[in-house]
Amino acid sequence: PQSTRLPPLSPMALDDPAFLTTALLKIIGVNIVLSGDNAVVIALAARSLPAKQQKQAIIWGSAAAIFLRIVLTLFAVALLSLSWLKIIGSVLLLWIGVKLLVPEDEGPNIEASDNLWAAIKTILIADLVMSLDNVIAVAAAAGGHWVLMIVGLAISIPIVIFGATLLVKLMERFPVIITIGAALIGFVAGEMAWEDQAIAALTSPYPATMKYVAAAIGAAFVVVLGQWLARR
């Protein structure tokens, strides 16, 4: 059976500038591609905050998300082998996607600090779930070298922050992006649920493209339910 431990760090490899440059570029490239959905979650959660708190939520949410991804990478193979984990995660994502479409009820007892921590909590939960698959690609790009993996993820922090900041500004100008972002979260949820090992016996007879049908159903569920609750 394949070992769940990554290869030990090689001093000779770290002395090779070509290896270091190539590995770091791969890690950063993987993060640029895979952090798009995380930036969407951060932007959605921060969009309704005052301008000053938007920056705080984006910075703290992004930094905490990267830290979580580092921790997850250490246990990635073991986590992804657990049955029902992806299904539980997909249910959480569906709930988050619907919640982000419903306007917040600003009562007299709700303080700005409460909204800030609520946004950061939403970012952390969503990123924790959405990063389960992403960390496998990062670990592979790092070639099993822990130092490179952590450095590459740290370099990715400003990339995620910039992406989330840009999306917040676009959401203010084009509100339809909010709906598209929530649909993306639902899409990821449907895709994740379909890939869970617990239901492999049910899904294996179907072609691989059925995963995208499940993903589309997840996206539609979030948008329809979220907009219905928002109208109410």
Side-chain angles (χ1 to χ4, degrees), residues 45-46 48-50 52-61 104 110-123:
S48 58
L49 296 172
K52 181 180 178 180
Q53 289 194 326
Q54 277 185 358
K55 294 179 181 178
Q56 292 177 339
I58 289 172
I59 291 172
W60 286 107
E104 294 182 4
I110 297 179
E111 299 180 0
S113 59
D114 295 331
N115 286 334
L116 174 62
W117 286 111
I120 293 176
K121 183 175 68 174
T122 299
I123 291 167

Side-chain angles (χ1 to χ4, degrees), residues 5-198:
R5 292 183 298 176
L6 294 176
L9 195 62
S10 169
M12 293 183 61
L14 292 181
D15 289 338
D16 184 354
F19 171 81
L20 284 174
T21 303
T22 303
L24 281 175
L25 287 176
K26 284 194 295 183
I27 294 168
I28 294 170
V30 165
N31 271 285
I32 291 174
V33 173
L34 297 180
S35 294
D37 49 5
N38 303 93
V40 169
V41 170
I42 293 170
L44 281 171
R47 75 186 190 281
S48 58
L49 296 172
K52 181 180 178 180
Q53 289 194 326
Q54 277 185 358
K55 294 179 181 178
Q56 292 177 339
I58 289 172
I59 291 172
W60 286 107
S62 301
I66 295 295
F67 174 76
L68 270 179
R69 194 168 296 183
I70 292 172
V71 174
L72 278 175
T73 306
L74 303 179
F75 305 100
V77 176
L79 282 173
L80 290 175
S81 65
L82 297 177
S83 297
W84 300 104
L85 183 63
K86 288 189 174 183
I87 290 178
I88 294 171
S90 68
V91 172
L92 276 173
L93 282 184
L94 290 173
W95 171 75
I96 289 171
V98 171
K99 186 172 177 286
L100 290 173
L101 278 179
V102 180
E104 294 182 4
D105 184 12
E106 295 290 345
N109 296 325
I110 297 179
E111 299 180 0
S113 59
D114 295 331
N115 286 334
L116 174 62
W117 286 111
I120 293 176
K121 183 175 68 174
T122 299
I123 291 167
L124 288 178
I125 294 173
D127 193 82
L128 176 67
V129 175
M130 297 174 83
S131 295
L132 289 175
D133 286 337
N134 297 4
V135 293
I136 292 294
V138 173
H145 295 280
W146 301 112
V147 174
L148 287 178
M149 179 186 67
I150 294 172
V151 170
L153 288 170
I155 293 173
S156 304
I157 291 176
I159 297 171
V160 176
I161 291 175
F162 173 77
T165 303
L166 178 62
L167 278 170
V168 167
K169 294 178 180 178
L170 288 174
M171 286 175 183
E172 292 173 354
R173 189 169 181 182
F174 306 104
V176 69
I177 296 177
I178 297 172
T179 304
I180 295 172
L184 174 62
I185 295 173
F187 188 92
V188 173
E191 194 175 34
M192 184 182 294
W194 184 266
E195 294 175 341
D196 197 292
Q197 291 297 320

